[in-house]
Amino acid sequence: MSAFKKWLHQHDGGKRFPESKGKQIENDKWFPFILDYFNQGAKTITINLKGISMRPFLESDRDRALLAPIGEVKVGDPVLAENYPGHFVLHRIIKLDGDDVTLLGDGNLVCEYCKIKDLRASVIGFYRKGRTELDRTDGMKWKVYSWIWMRLRPFRRYLLAFYRYVWLNIFRPKAPKNNQ
């Protein structure tokens, strides 16, 4: 058993995983550990976010997500999904049609698809901007953000361009000083 896997087995869910000392662990290797941890009874796991697919609300290397085993899902819920073997995404559900799920990252323009059985974890909330209090996905703040952002979908291309080329140059997000 690797040292990393031993560490995983010794710590309870909801705790931050150890730093990889400058090395990034690929999703196809990282997320199976998380899923295995849930299978062993973990209630929650906190992960650092990587990538820009959930911009403008969530930033890579700054924000964290609190995951829980997959439960009942509905349109608007952010989830961790394996949309094809070894490829994991943390996106919002925008459509449920029987067993078919349509996903879209807030920072994406193109949808991704999977089946209900490919949903791996639910997102309970996010630790944003280095804060220690959780922005819950069932809270009013997240619901308002989500409601507005989903209705701006026809203008998303322009809003994301403004965010990337103007907003970020003025208000560059900073990684939190107090990583927990």
Side-chain angles (χ1 to χ4, degrees):
M1 183 182 292
S2 72
F4 179 72
K5 196 164 185 178
K6 284 180 187 174
W7 188 93
L8 273 175
H9 290 291
Q10 293 171 355
H11 289 79
D12 63 296
K15 297 291 183 189
R16 186 166 180 245
F17 289 142
E19 292 298 322
S20 57
K21 300 191 187 216
K23 298 177 187 172
Q24 283 194 8
I25 301 170
E26 297 298 321
N27 285 348
D28 62 335
K29 294 175 180 60
W30 172 251
F31 285 118
F33 281 115
I34 291 172
L35 301 175
D36 185 47
Y37 205 45
F38 280 142
N39 291 335
Q40 295 177 29
K43 302 290 183 218
T44 61
I45 296 174
T46 302
I47 63 168
N48 292 327
L49 298 178
K50 297 286 183 192
I52 61 171
S53 69
M54 289 299 282
R55 274 184 174 170
F57 304 116
L58 303 171
E59 282 293 333
S60 183
D61 297 321
R62 182 192 75 183
D63 299 327
R64 297 177 290 142
L66 183 62
L67 304 178
I70 197 71
E72 185 178 330
V73 294
K74 62 187 178 311
V75 171
D77 288 348
V79 294
L80 177 67
E82 187 174 12
N83 58 345
Y84 58 86
H87 184 261
F88 295 85
V89 295
L90 193 147
H91 289 333
R92 184 189 306 272
I93 296 173
I94 63 165
K95 184 179 179 186
L96 290 168
D97 186 17
D99 194 34
D100 297 323
V101 180
T102 304
L103 303 166
L104 183 64
D106 286 353
N108 291 358
L109 301 173
V110 178
C111 295
E112 298 188 61
Y113 306 91
C114 68
K115 301 287 186 184
I116 290 278
K117 67 178 180 60
D118 299 321
L119 301 180
R120 302 294 185 232
S122 295
V123 179
I124 295 173
F126 299 98
Y127 296 99
R128 299 178 59 238
K129 302 179 181 179
R131 296 182 188 129
T132 56
E133 62 274 357
L134 184 69
D135 285 340
R136 294 188 57 90
T137 56
D138 61 356
M140 185 57 67
K141 181 179 177 181
W142 181 263
K143 287 180 179 182
V144 169
Y145 280 172
S146 298
W147 187 88
I148 293 169
W149 190 246
M150 294 308 293
R151 274 136 192 93
L152 291 173
R153 189 168 170 206
F155 310 103
R156 190 175 284 189
R157 173 182 309 277
Y158 308 106
L159 295 170
L160 289 170
F162 174 82
Y163 181 77
R164 181 176 180 188
Y165 295 112
V166 178
W167 189 265
L168 287 180
N169 286 324
I170 297 170
F171 304 104
R172 176 72 49 193
K174 294 180 177 70
K177 295 175 187 139
N178 183 13
N179 283 342
Q180 296 179 349

